[in-house]
């Protein structure tokens, strides 16, 4: 009788050992499969994100170069001063400001000159609205052409008798 009990107990141990080995193999396979799948998925996602960032950077660079070349080519025949502006910048501490004397340039058009004179408060308000959203770090020479283009795009819809073609900063101080 003892032989039968030993055989039954031996078989149970063997089945338990085989079950544990099978469980370890299945777990290792699942882990290996998951890590390989997640790496390929993560790599594809990273590649897509990198490509999107590269495309965005190239587009911004091309736009900046186009803006810069456009503004360098345009020399306005006439201009109107908007007086000196003192503007709080959008920095976190709230203690930074921009002091600038700004002129808007346009081609000879006496009607536009009178319109700009009449709408000077509206034009100044548009300039202040754009510059108020800038931080001190944004007011650097490499960004000035983009800021000028933003100002032109903000001011031109206000005008009915012509369009400005350039913005000039004669004095600029950031503190």
């Amino acid at each position: 009788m003892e032989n039968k009990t030993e055989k039954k107990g031996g078989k149970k141990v063997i089945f338990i050992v085989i079950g544990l080995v099978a469980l370890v193999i299945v777990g290792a396979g699942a882990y290996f499969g998951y890590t390989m799948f997640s790496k390929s998925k993560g790599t594809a996602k990273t590649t897509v994100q990198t490509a999107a960032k590269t495309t965005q950077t190239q587009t911004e660079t091309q736009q900046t170069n186009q803006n810069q070349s456009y503004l360098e080519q345009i020399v306005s025949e006439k201009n109107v001063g908007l007086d000196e502006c003192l503007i709080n910048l959008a920095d976190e501490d709230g203690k930074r400001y921009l002091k600038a004397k700004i002129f808007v340039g346009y081609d000879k058009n006496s009607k536009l000159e009178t319109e700009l004179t009449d709408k000077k408060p509206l034009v100044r308000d548009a300039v202040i609205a754009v510059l108020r959203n800038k931080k001190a770090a944004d007011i650097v020479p490499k960004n000035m052409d983009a800021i000028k283009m933003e100002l032109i795009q903000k001011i031109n819809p206000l005008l009915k008798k012509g369009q400005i073609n350039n913005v000039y900063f004669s004095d600029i101080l950031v503190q």
Side-chain angles (χ1 to χ4, degrees):
M1 224 182 207
E2 288 182 17
N3 280 339
K4 288 184 182 180
T5 310
E6 286 179 19
K7 287 183 181 179
K8 283 187 179 179
K11 287 185 181 180
K12 284 184 181 179
V13 171
I14 292 174
F15 282 129
I16 291 174
V17 169
I18 291 174
L20 287 174
V21 169
L23 185 64
V24 167
I25 291 172
V26 170
Y31 174 76
F32 179 73
Y34 175 76
T35 55
M36 293 303 285
F37 177 72
S38 67
K39 282 184 182 178
S40 65
K41 185 178 178 182
T43 304
K45 187 176 181 181
T46 305
T47 304
V48 169
Q49 288 175 345
T50 305
K53 286 180 183 178
T54 303
T55 304
Q56 181 181 6
T57 305
Q58 289 173 346
T59 304
E60 289 173 357
T61 304
Q62 288 173 351
Q63 185 177 11
T64 302
N65 290 340
Q66 288 173 350
N67 292 345
Q68 186 175 23
S69 63
Y70 168 77
L71 291 173
E72 287 175 356
Q73 293 173 3
I74 301 295
V75 177
S76 303
E77 294 177 11
K78 296 185 105 184
N79 59 59
V80 171
L82 299 179
D83 302 328
E84 194 170 76
C85 297
L86 185 63
I87 302 157
N88 289 328
L89 295 173
D91 288 305
E92 290 84 30
D93 59 2
K95 297 178 182 177
R96 305 295 301 262
Y97 68 89
L98 167 73
K99 183 177 178 183
K101 187 161 186 176
I102 301 168
F103 293 85
V104 292
Y106 58 95
D107 291 330
K108 275 189 176 177
N109 183 344
S110 61
K111 292 179 183 178
L112 185 58
E113 184 174 358
T114 57
E115 184 178 17
L116 281 170
T117 305
D118 293 342
K119 292 187 175 180
K120 189 183 256 187
L122 295 173
V123 174
R124 281 179 51 91
D125 183 59
V127 168
I128 290 169
V130 169
L131 295 176
R132 183 178 290 145
N133 291 320
K134 303 294 179 199
K135 294 183 178 185
D138 297 335
I139 313 294
V140 293
K142 72 176 189 172
N143 291 342
M144 291 310 290
D145 287 330
I147 292 171
K148 288 179 180 183
M149 286 303 294
E150 191 175 350
L151 289 169
I152 291 169
Q153 291 170 354
K154 185 79 170 183
I155 294 169
N156 277 338
L158 301 172
L159 305 174
K160 295 190 182 351
K161 297 178 181 173
Q163 302 288 301
I164 65 169
N165 57 15
N166 213 333
V167 174
Y168 303 101
F169 291 91
S170 69
D171 296 324
I172 189 163
L173 172 70
V174 178
Q175 278 205 308

